[in-house]
Amino acid sequence: PKESTLKQFQLDFKGEKLKSIESLEKIDPVVQGPDHAEISEVLFQKIEESDKWRLSFKVKNKTPGKPVELRAFLKKEDQLI
């Protein structure tokens, strides 16, 4: 069977800077990739009953067989978290 070019990723974040987050509106999740990667469904949310946050997103490789290098991070205004 042909391998799907759509993949879902989930990254969990934890740390002192995240403990002080009062509102998701102030946090910008950023996911970057090459031109042949279509990034969609970016979602950042608190994992209930824990001190972790989850960034999830989907990536479609528009050029199957070509590697996709991704970069993901959180920003608050112009500051990296």
PDB file of all heavy atoms in Angstrom, residues 8-13 29 31 39-45 53-58:
ATOM      1  N   GLN A   8       0.210  13.457  11.283  1.00  0.00           N
ATOM      2  CA  GLN A   8      -0.167  14.303  12.417  1.00  0.00           C
ATOM      3  C   GLN A   8       0.934  14.242  13.467  1.00  0.00           C
ATOM      4  O   GLN A   8       1.485  13.177  13.744  1.00  0.00           O
ATOM      5  CB  GLN A   8      -1.477  13.849  13.040  1.00  0.00           C
ATOM      6  CG  GLN A   8      -1.881  14.742  14.191  1.00  0.00           C
ATOM      7  CD  GLN A   8      -3.306  14.555  14.636  1.00  0.00           C
ATOM      8  OE1 GLN A   8      -4.099  13.960  13.940  1.00  0.00           O
ATOM      9  NE2 GLN A   8      -3.625  15.078  15.798  1.00  0.00           N
ATOM     10  N   PHE A   9       1.233  15.412  14.043  1.00  0.00           N
ATOM     11  CA  PHE A   9       2.268  15.513  15.063  1.00  0.00           C
ATOM     12  C   PHE A   9       1.669  16.127  16.326  1.00  0.00           C
ATOM     13  O   PHE A   9       0.787  16.980  16.251  1.00  0.00           O
ATOM     14  CB  PHE A   9       3.421  16.397  14.576  1.00  0.00           C
ATOM     15  CG  PHE A   9       4.171  15.813  13.421  1.00  0.00           C
ATOM     16  CD1 PHE A   9       3.746  16.047  12.122  1.00  0.00           C
ATOM     17  CD2 PHE A   9       5.283  15.033  13.626  1.00  0.00           C
ATOM     18  CE1 PHE A   9       4.426  15.513  11.047  1.00  0.00           C
ATOM     19  CE2 PHE A   9       5.978  14.482  12.562  1.00  0.00           C
ATOM     20  CZ  PHE A   9       5.547  14.725  11.263  1.00  0.00           C
ATOM     21  N   GLN A  10       2.184  15.702  17.470  1.00  0.00           N
ATOM     22  CA  GLN A  10       1.796  16.275  18.759  1.00  0.00           C
ATOM     23  C   GLN A  10       3.056  16.493  19.576  1.00  0.00           C
ATOM     24  O   GLN A  10       3.840  15.561  19.767  1.00  0.00           O
ATOM     25  CB  GLN A  10       0.842  15.351  19.515  1.00  0.00           C
ATOM     26  CG  GLN A  10      -0.485  15.192  18.830  1.00  0.00           C
ATOM     27  CD  GLN A  10      -1.439  14.330  19.613  1.00  0.00           C
ATOM     28  OE1 GLN A  10      -1.038  13.457  20.375  1.00  0.00           O
ATOM     29  NE2 GLN A  10      -2.715  14.569  19.434  1.00  0.00           N
ATOM     30  N   LEU A  11       3.220  17.718  20.033  1.00  0.00           N
ATOM     31  CA  LEU A  11       4.376  18.073  20.860  1.00  0.00           C
ATOM     32  C   LEU A  11       3.859  18.580  22.199  1.00  0.00           C
ATOM     33  O   LEU A  11       3.003  19.472  22.247  1.00  0.00           O
ATOM     34  CB  LEU A  11       5.200  19.176  20.202  1.00  0.00           C
ATOM     35  CG  LEU A  11       5.684  18.905  18.778  1.00  0.00           C
ATOM     36  CD1 LEU A  11       6.329  20.149  18.210  1.00  0.00           C
ATOM     37  CD2 LEU A  11       6.662  17.748  18.786  1.00  0.00           C
ATOM     38  N   ASP A  12       4.376  18.036  23.279  1.00  0.00           N
ATOM     39  CA  ASP A  12       3.980  18.481  24.612  1.00  0.00           C
ATOM     40  C   ASP A  12       5.051  19.409  25.172  1.00  0.00           C
ATOM     41  O   ASP A  12       6.247  19.136  25.059  1.00  0.00           O
ATOM     42  CB  ASP A  12       3.784  17.288  25.549  1.00  0.00           C
ATOM     43  CG  ASP A  12       2.555  16.471  25.188  1.00  0.00           C
ATOM     44  OD1 ASP A  12       1.741  16.938  24.380  1.00  0.00           O
ATOM     45  OD2 ASP A  12       2.405  15.359  25.725  1.00  0.00           O
ATOM     46  N   PHE A  13       4.584  20.512  25.758  1.00  0.00           N
ATOM     47  CA  PHE A  13       5.464  21.512  26.347  1.00  0.00           C
ATOM     48  C   PHE A  13       5.192  21.601  27.842  1.00  0.00           C
ATOM     49  O   PHE A  13       4.050  21.483  28.284  1.00  0.00           O
ATOM     50  CB  PHE A  13       5.199  22.895  25.728  1.00  0.00           C
ATOM     51  CG  PHE A  13       5.587  23.007  24.287  1.00  0.00           C
ATOM     52  CD1 PHE A  13       4.704  22.636  23.283  1.00  0.00           C
ATOM     53  CD2 PHE A  13       6.824  23.501  23.929  1.00  0.00           C
ATOM     54  CE1 PHE A  13       5.043  22.753  21.947  1.00  0.00           C
ATOM     55  CE2 PHE A  13       7.179  23.624  22.592  1.00  0.00           C
ATOM     56  CZ  PHE A  13       6.283  23.246  21.606  1.00  0.00           C
ATOM     57  N   PRO A  29       1.355  29.692  18.619  1.00  0.00           N
ATOM     58  CA  PRO A  29       2.113  28.519  18.207  1.00  0.00           C
ATOM     59  C   PRO A  29       2.599  28.732  16.770  1.00  0.00           C
ATOM     60  O   PRO A  29       1.842  29.217  15.917  1.00  0.00           O
ATOM     61  CB  PRO A  29       1.093  27.382  18.288  1.00  0.00           C
ATOM     62  CG  PRO A  29      -0.227  28.046  18.088  1.00  0.00           C
ATOM     63  CD  PRO A  29      -0.081  29.441  18.638  1.00  0.00           C
ATOM     64  N   VAL A  31       4.580  26.867  13.508  1.00  0.00           N
ATOM     65  CA  VAL A  31       5.107  25.653  12.877  1.00  0.00           C
ATOM     66  C   VAL A  31       5.595  26.061  11.493  1.00  0.00           C
ATOM     67  O   VAL A  31       4.845  26.652  10.717  1.00  0.00           O
ATOM     68  CB  VAL A  31       4.041  24.544  12.759  1.00  0.00           C
ATOM     69  CG1 VAL A  31       4.651  23.301  12.130  1.00  0.00           C
ATOM     70  CG2 VAL A  31       3.435  24.218  14.117  1.00  0.00           C
ATOM     71  N   ILE A  39       1.219  22.752   5.991  1.00  0.00           N
ATOM     72  CA  ILE A  39       0.953  22.639   7.428  1.00  0.00           C
ATOM     73  C   ILE A  39      -0.477  23.118   7.691  1.00  0.00           C
ATOM     74  O   ILE A  39      -0.871  24.186   7.227  1.00  0.00           O
ATOM     75  CB  ILE A  39       1.973  23.464   8.227  1.00  0.00           C
ATOM     76  CG1 ILE A  39       3.381  22.937   7.955  1.00  0.00           C
ATOM     77  CG2 ILE A  39       1.651  23.429   9.715  1.00  0.00           C
ATOM     78  CD1 ILE A  39       4.497  23.841   8.415  1.00  0.00           C
ATOM     79  N   SER A  40      -1.241  22.304   8.428  1.00  0.00           N
ATOM     80  CA  SER A  40      -2.634  22.644   8.687  1.00  0.00           C
ATOM     81  C   SER A  40      -3.050  22.209  10.085  1.00  0.00           C
ATOM     82  O   SER A  40      -2.327  21.496  10.766  1.00  0.00           O
ATOM     83  CB  SER A  40      -3.544  21.983   7.649  1.00  0.00           C
ATOM     84  OG  SER A  40      -3.443  20.576   7.725  1.00  0.00           O
ATOM     85  N   GLU A  41      -4.228  22.649  10.476  1.00  0.00           N
ATOM     86  CA  GLU A  41      -4.865  22.266  11.740  1.00  0.00           C
ATOM     87  C   GLU A  41      -3.948  22.450  12.953  1.00  0.00           C
ATOM     88  O   GLU A  41      -3.819  21.575  13.805  1.00  0.00           O
ATOM     89  CB  GLU A  41      -5.393  20.838  11.664  1.00  0.00           C
ATOM     90  CG  GLU A  41      -6.451  20.659  10.588  1.00  0.00           C
ATOM     91  CD  GLU A  41      -7.053  19.266  10.549  1.00  0.00           C
ATOM     92  OE1 GLU A  41      -7.302  18.705  11.630  1.00  0.00           O
ATOM     93  OE2 GLU A  41      -7.256  18.759   9.438  1.00  0.00           O
ATOM     94  N   VAL A  42      -3.308  23.598  13.028  1.00  0.00           N
ATOM     95  CA  VAL A  42      -2.428  23.922  14.159  1.00  0.00           C
ATOM     96  C   VAL A  42      -3.304  24.261  15.364  1.00  0.00           C
ATOM     97  O   VAL A  42      -4.164  25.130  15.298  1.00  0.00           O
ATOM     98  CB  VAL A  42      -1.497  25.102  13.813  1.00  0.00           C
ATOM     99  CG1 VAL A  42      -0.638  25.464  15.019  1.00  0.00           C
ATOM    100  CG2 VAL A  42      -0.631  24.765  12.610  1.00  0.00           C
ATOM    101  N   LEU A  43      -3.089  23.541  16.459  1.00  0.00           N
ATOM    102  CA  LEU A  43      -3.896  23.714  17.664  1.00  0.00           C
ATOM    103  C   LEU A  43      -2.983  23.671  18.887  1.00  0.00           C
ATOM    104  O   LEU A  43      -2.133  22.788  19.010  1.00  0.00           O
ATOM    105  CB  LEU A  43      -4.937  22.597  17.749  1.00  0.00           C
ATOM    106  CG  LEU A  43      -5.842  22.569  18.980  1.00  0.00           C
ATOM    107  CD1 LEU A  43      -6.742  23.802  19.005  1.00  0.00           C
ATOM    108  CD2 LEU A  43      -6.697  21.316  18.975  1.00  0.00           C
ATOM    109  N   PHE A  44      -3.170  24.628  19.787  1.00  0.00           N
ATOM    110  CA  PHE A  44      -2.400  24.680  21.031  1.00  0.00           C
ATOM    111  C   PHE A  44      -3.390  24.687  22.179  1.00  0.00           C
ATOM    112  O   PHE A  44      -4.295  25.524  22.226  1.00  0.00           O
ATOM    113  CB  PHE A  44      -1.532  25.944  21.062  1.00  0.00           C
ATOM    114  CG  PHE A  44      -0.663  26.064  22.280  1.00  0.00           C
ATOM    115  CD1 PHE A  44       0.276  25.096  22.578  1.00  0.00           C
ATOM    116  CD2 PHE A  44      -0.785  27.148  23.127  1.00  0.00           C
ATOM    117  CE1 PHE A  44       1.082  25.213  23.703  1.00  0.00           C
ATOM    118  CE2 PHE A  44       0.020  27.280  24.253  1.00  0.00           C
ATOM    119  CZ  PHE A  44       0.952  26.301  24.528  1.00  0.00           C
ATOM    120  N   GLN A  45      -3.260  23.747  23.106  1.00  0.00           N
ATOM    121  CA  GLN A  45      -4.230  23.644  24.195  1.00  0.00           C
ATOM    122  C   GLN A  45      -3.593  23.090  25.464  1.00  0.00           C
ATOM    123  O   GLN A  45      -2.583  22.397  25.414  1.00  0.00           O
ATOM    124  CB  GLN A  45      -5.400  22.756  23.785  1.00  0.00           C
ATOM    125  CG  GLN A  45      -5.005  21.342  23.448  1.00  0.00           C
ATOM    126  CD  GLN A  45      -6.139  20.546  22.834  1.00  0.00           C
ATOM    127  OE1 GLN A  45      -7.221  21.060  22.619  1.00  0.00           O
ATOM    128  NE2 GLN A  45      -5.892  19.287  22.552  1.00  0.00           N
ATOM    129  N   TRP A  53       1.203  21.534  28.118  1.00  0.00           N
ATOM    130  CA  TRP A  53       0.455  22.106  27.013  1.00  0.00           C
ATOM    131  C   TRP A  53       0.791  21.302  25.764  1.00  0.00           C
ATOM    132  O   TRP A  53       1.909  20.801  25.629  1.00  0.00           O
ATOM    133  CB  TRP A  53       0.844  23.569  26.816  1.00  0.00           C
ATOM    134  CG  TRP A  53       0.442  24.441  27.956  1.00  0.00           C
ATOM    135  CD1 TRP A  53       1.064  24.551  29.170  1.00  0.00           C
ATOM    136  CD2 TRP A  53      -0.678  25.312  28.002  1.00  0.00           C
ATOM    137  NE1 TRP A  53       0.398  25.434  29.967  1.00  0.00           N
ATOM    138  CE2 TRP A  53      -0.671  25.929  29.271  1.00  0.00           C
ATOM    139  CE3 TRP A  53      -1.684  25.648  27.105  1.00  0.00           C
ATOM    140  CZ2 TRP A  53      -1.631  26.852  29.647  1.00  0.00           C
ATOM    141  CZ3 TRP A  53      -2.627  26.571  27.485  1.00  0.00           C
ATOM    142  CH2 TRP A  53      -2.600  27.161  28.736  1.00  0.00           C
ATOM    143  N   ARG A  54      -0.158  21.189  24.835  1.00  0.00           N
ATOM    144  CA  ARG A  54       0.060  20.376  23.632  1.00  0.00           C
ATOM    145  C   ARG A  54      -0.131  21.213  22.372  1.00  0.00           C
ATOM    146  O   ARG A  54      -1.113  21.917  22.212  1.00  0.00           O
ATOM    147  CB  ARG A  54      -0.905  19.197  23.597  1.00  0.00           C
ATOM    148  CG  ARG A  54      -0.747  18.349  22.336  1.00  0.00           C
ATOM    149  CD  ARG A  54      -1.433  17.019  22.458  1.00  0.00           C
ATOM    150  NE  ARG A  54      -0.665  16.217  23.410  1.00  0.00           N
ATOM    151  CZ  ARG A  54      -1.186  15.232  24.137  1.00  0.00           C
ATOM    152  NH1 ARG A  54      -2.459  14.914  24.022  1.00  0.00           N
ATOM    153  NH2 ARG A  54      -0.428  14.563  24.984  1.00  0.00           N
ATOM    154  N   LEU A  55       0.851  21.090  21.497  1.00  0.00           N
ATOM    155  CA  LEU A  55       0.774  21.669  20.162  1.00  0.00           C
ATOM    156  C   LEU A  55       0.576  20.509  19.201  1.00  0.00           C
ATOM    157  O   LEU A  55       1.378  19.568  19.184  1.00  0.00           O
ATOM    158  CB  LEU A  55       2.072  22.424  19.839  1.00  0.00           C
ATOM    159  CG  LEU A  55       2.243  22.922  18.412  1.00  0.00           C
ATOM    160  CD1 LEU A  55       1.142  23.906  18.029  1.00  0.00           C
ATOM    161  CD2 LEU A  55       3.613  23.540  18.230  1.00  0.00           C
ATOM    162  N   SER A  56      -0.512  20.550  18.444  1.00  0.00           N
ATOM    163  CA  SER A  56      -0.737  19.497  17.451  1.00  0.00           C
ATOM    164  C   SER A  56      -0.939  20.153  16.093  1.00  0.00           C
ATOM    165  O   SER A  56      -1.421  21.291  15.993  1.00  0.00           O
ATOM    166  CB  SER A  56      -1.936  18.623  17.832  1.00  0.00           C
ATOM    167  OG  SER A  56      -3.108  19.385  17.882  1.00  0.00           O
ATOM    168  N   PHE A  57      -0.542  19.430  15.059  1.00  0.00           N
ATOM    169  CA  PHE A  57      -0.679  19.949  13.695  1.00  0.00           C
ATOM    170  C   PHE A  57      -0.535  18.794  12.713  1.00  0.00           C
ATOM    171  O   PHE A  57      -0.071  17.711  13.056  1.00  0.00           O
ATOM    172  CB  PHE A  57       0.369  21.034  13.409  1.00  0.00           C
ATOM    173  CG  PHE A  57       1.792  20.611  13.635  1.00  0.00           C
ATOM    174  CD1 PHE A  57       2.560  20.101  12.600  1.00  0.00           C
ATOM    175  CD2 PHE A  57       2.370  20.728  14.885  1.00  0.00           C
ATOM    176  CE1 PHE A  57       3.879  19.718  12.812  1.00  0.00           C
ATOM    177  CE2 PHE A  57       3.682  20.350  15.116  1.00  0.00           C
ATOM    178  CZ  PHE A  57       4.436  19.838  14.068  1.00  0.00           C
ATOM    179  N   LYS A  58      -0.967  19.045  11.484  1.00  0.00           N
ATOM    180  CA  LYS A  58      -0.846  18.062  10.414  1.00  0.00           C
ATOM    181  C   LYS A  58       0.064  18.626   9.332  1.00  0.00           C
ATOM    182  O   LYS A  58       0.092  19.835   9.098  1.00  0.00           O
ATOM    183  CB  LYS A  58      -2.216  17.726   9.828  1.00  0.00           C
ATOM    184  CG  LYS A  58      -3.090  16.974  10.821  1.00  0.00           C
ATOM    185  CD  LYS A  58      -4.403  16.567  10.205  1.00  0.00           C
ATOM    186  CE  LYS A  58      -5.227  15.794  11.248  1.00  0.00           C
ATOM    187  NZ  LYS A  58      -6.516  15.370  10.707  1.00  0.00           N
TER     188      LYS A  58
END
